[in-house]
Amino acid sequence: MERLSGLDASFLYLETSTQLLHVVGLIELDPSTTPDGYSFEKLKAELAIRARMMPGFRRKIHDSRFNLDHPVWVDDPDFDIDRHCHRIAVPAPGGRKEVAELCGHIASQPLDRSRPLWEMWVIEGLEDGRVAVVSKMHHSGVDGVTGANMISQLCSLEPDAARPEIADTRGNETGGANNMELALGGLLGFASRPVQFAKMLPSAMPLLPGWIGRARRGEAMPAPFTAPRTSFNGTITGHRSVAFTKLAIADVKTVKNAFGVKVNDVVLTLVASALRMYLEDRGELPDSSLVAMVPVSVHATSDRPGTNKVSGMFSQLRTDIEDPAERLQAIAEANVVSKLHNEALGATLLQDWAQFASPATFGAAMRLYAGLRLAERHPVIHNLVVSNVPGPPVPLYFLGARIDGMYPMGPVFHGAGLTATVMSLEDKLDVGLIACSELAPDLWSLADAFPEALEELVKAAHEREQTSTQVATPS
């Protein structure tokens, strides 16, 4: 039995029928590399073996009406791979739009909380004989790092690599938790909260004055509630649309090296440029800059318990700047400021305050917030979520099948109905987009803007290099 941290539990408390807080991943596979040929039965059997060896795939939520603290994780004694691994065929012709539509439908369905909070859907019938896998994992059990680690244990660097050695923990299964133990532990945790609050309050008091002081000195990241309103900043429904695209990492590095910036700066600029094109085409481009919330992993610096170890950084996307090169440089400069400000706030700030989350308060508040459509009545907190996930620069194989594309997609929230996730893999940058269907009905036009955005930046990079060469070698 392991108690959830406040941040982990918050993803359970804040989930509603429309705000689904699971993480989705679309993996495109080439099954021709599978040793002895691909079959769904073989893939499911191998997945079952590995899942039974990995506690993260077998644990489920347990709670009691007498528990005053957060729920706990327990091993599911009735774990059955057939409840988690499903097979489905995509409609003809099996192209990217048909796959995305099916993925969006899967993303729109909640996970069953009576079982371990994950599913995998194997999609067959894609064009060129390919296969896709859609994974769903609840955010209470994974963040970007832990989710990637779990998936990595299903992958290898060779198609016929031996199964990795994974410690067999099945002998430690406890099944259902003892409700008396759960209640007593919860009572102790609940009773200690006033003391924890009293300890944290003095350190929290200077945060707002400090933010104001940094803003006056030009050393602050954008403040919440300062983002302009767009069509995807409203109350979300439970419907999800998905789109994705693929970019060349070599082109991204060309831009990075020419302007002396970081890969993350280029990624944010690509998102900003694509959004600018998307909103301009719809006649909706705001005069002021869009603001992205960028999750930041604190696994290396946080000593707090729990699975989710993240903080959040607000970033200016400078969509108000027309020239792509100027936009990139402005984003790079703003990111330095935002990163330093985020570090000053502390790596564990979000984790510490989330410990005081209450299921009754958070759940009721979120249902009221959605029912009254309050996301449309107050200033926009941030426009969207943007994540950049570094992956290996070498080919990967998922249970023997070569991965042609891997597109992670985080949840969307009331007030911010669009999420963009970018993942590097081998020599490509895979861009996954997920949105509330009603707020972003034409998501493919946004996805298709990314190659054009990169082309603009590559052209600007070549012009910059050419100018530098001419200056360095005068005639």
Side-chain angles (χ1 to χ4, degrees), residues 10 36 55 57 89 121 128 161 182 215 220 255 283 305 313 315 323 334 340 382 417 455:
S10 295
D36 301 322
F57 281 108
W121 292 77
D128 302 326
L182 176 63
V255 175
M313 181 179 82
S315 179
D323 182 80
L340 291 173
H382 57 86
E455 187 178 341

Side-chain angles (χ1 to χ4, degrees), residues 38-222:
Y38 161 82
S39 74
F40 170 75
E41 289 73 17
K42 284 173 50 181
L43 185 147
K44 185 177 72 170
E46 182 63 24
L47 178 61
I49 293 172
R50 301 199 190 196
R52 285 191 170 277
M53 296 291 198
M54 297 166 61
F57 281 108
R58 298 194 326 270
R59 65 183 186 177
K60 67 177 183 177
I61 295 291
H62 179 72
D63 204 358
S64 163
R65 69 179 66 184
F66 302 109
N67 176 35
L68 298 178
D69 204 348
H70 306 304
V72 296
W73 293 112
V74 297
D75 285 307
D76 182 6
D78 300 318
F79 177 80
D80 184 349
I81 193 64
D82 287 325
R83 296 174 177 173
H84 299 273
C85 185
H86 311 286
R87 183 185 197 182
I88 195 169
V90 68
R96 63 172 193 166
K97 292 190 176 180
E98 288 79 20
V99 172
E101 184 175 356
L102 188 52
C103 182
H105 175 72
I106 292 172
S108 303
Q109 311 305 312
L111 288 164
D112 184 348
R113 291 197 182 184
S114 68
R115 301 169 181 169
L117 295 177
W118 67 276
E119 290 178 350
M120 285 191 186
W121 292 77
V122 179
I123 304 176
E124 299 175 340
L126 278 68
E127 58 186 3
D128 302 326
R130 292 176 299 121
V131 173
V133 173
V134 176
S135 67
K136 286 170 58 178
M137 297 181 177
H138 202 278
H139 220 318
S140 60
V142 297
D143 62 5
V145 172
T146 52
N149 288 343
M150 289 177 68
I151 293 296
S152 71
Q153 295 190 61
L154 304 177
C155 298
S156 61
L157 299 179
E158 299 291 340
D160 55 354
R163 185 182 304 132
E165 294 186 8
I166 305 171
D168 189 346
T169 60
R170 287 175 292 173
N172 299 325
E173 289 177 353
T174 59
N178 182 297
N179 284 335
M180 180 63 71
E181 181 184 358
L182 176 63
L184 289 176
L187 179 61
L188 292 174
F190 183 79
S192 68
R193 287 185 185 177
V195 176
Q196 296 173 0
F197 184 83
K199 289 181 178 179
M200 290 175 54
L201 192 58
S203 63
M205 295 295 288
L207 290 179
L208 181 58
W211 196 313
I212 294 173
R214 279 181 168 271
R216 288 173 175 170
R217 298 191 302 270
E219 300 173 357
M221 59 182 163

